[in-house]
């Protein structure tokens, strides 16, 4: 089980680190207006993120906080049901400009739309104008058999 967990995490990391790949697609509905930003008390640490690593960790916490009914805690299952990887492109103010699907899982492809909804629900993520361009980050969603997720960023931070 531990080997599979390490392998899944390593694979997700490799895919997420690739950035924008040729042939990637914009997520359907990624630019859809009308998605209301979430207001979650206590999820936005005071002050600006000092680096993209810090920003991504804050964004992951916010996604997790705004998706309580869709997440699971504890060890990752062996095997994972689905691993969609998304690139979140941001405007200067932290609003989501576009979401690009970097990896569509072969099993449970509906998890891509579930992950997109989780990102949109958590947005905006806070200003990024002080961080180096491009204003984007990748996130890997690790889904179990019940189609509940953990974020790779938070799983690695434990």
């Amino acid at each position: 089980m531990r080997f599979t967990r390490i392998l899944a995490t390593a694979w997700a990391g490799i895919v997420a680190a690739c950035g924008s790949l040729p042939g990637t697609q914009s997520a359907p509905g990624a630019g859809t207006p009308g998605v209301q930003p979430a207001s979650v008390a206590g999820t936005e640490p005071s002050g600006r993120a000092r680096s993209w690593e810090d920003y991504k960790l804050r964004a992951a916490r916010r996604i997790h906080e705004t998706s309580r009914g869709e997440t699971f805690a504890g060890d990752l299952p062996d095997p994972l049901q689905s691993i969609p990887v998304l690139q979140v492109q941001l405007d200067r103010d932290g609003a989501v400009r576009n979401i690009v699907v970097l990896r569509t899982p072969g099993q449970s492809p509906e998890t891509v739309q579930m992950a997109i909804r989780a990102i949109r629900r958590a947005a905006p993520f806070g200003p990024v104008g002080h961080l180096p361009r491009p204003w984007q980050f990748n996130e890997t969603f690790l889904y179990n058999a019940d189609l509940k997720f953990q974020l790779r960023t938070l799983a690695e931070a434990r």
Side-chain angles (χ1 to χ4, degrees):
M1 180 172 150
R2 182 167 169 77
F3 174 75
T4 304
R5 181 179 177 188
I6 291 169
L7 182 63
T9 302
W11 173 249
I14 291 168
V15 172
C18 291
S20 185
L21 301 173
T24 58
Q25 60 193 42
S26 287
T32 306
V35 176
Q36 297 297 318
S39 296
V40 178
T43 59
E44 192 66 31
S46 61
R48 297 189 315 185
R50 293 179 299 257
S51 65
W52 273 112
E53 196 172 299
D54 184 30
Y55 191 91
K56 185 176 174 180
L57 185 58
R58 291 178 188 208
R61 287 180 182 143
R62 185 163 174 84
I63 293 166
H64 188 267
E65 287 290 321
T66 58
S67 301
R68 289 234 182 245
E70 300 174 21
T71 62
F72 72 96
D75 292 335
L76 293 173
D78 180 22
L80 288 161
Q81 177 70 20
S82 180
I83 308 173
V85 180
L86 304 177
Q87 180 181 79
V88 182
Q89 299 171 351
L90 304 166
D91 289 328
R92 175 179 291 279
D93 64 355
V96 174
R97 182 172 41 88
N98 191 30
I99 299 174
V100 178
V101 179
L102 298 179
R103 181 179 187 276
T104 301
Q107 236 181 327
S108 303
E110 68 274 18
T111 57
V112 169
Q113 288 304 313
M114 294 166 66
I116 290 170
R117 282 192 301 272
I119 290 170
R120 291 230 171 262
R121 189 172 37 251
F125 296 103
V128 294
H130 63 287
L131 294 172
R133 287 185 179 231
W135 295 329
Q136 65 189 27
F137 64 91
N138 298 341
E139 188 56 80
T140 303
F141 287 73
L142 308 170
Y143 281 91
N144 67 10
D146 297 326
L147 298 185
K148 306 283 185 184
F149 71 84
Q150 281 189 32
L151 297 171
R152 189 192 95 212
T153 301
L154 296 178
E156 289 178 345
R158 292 193 270 162

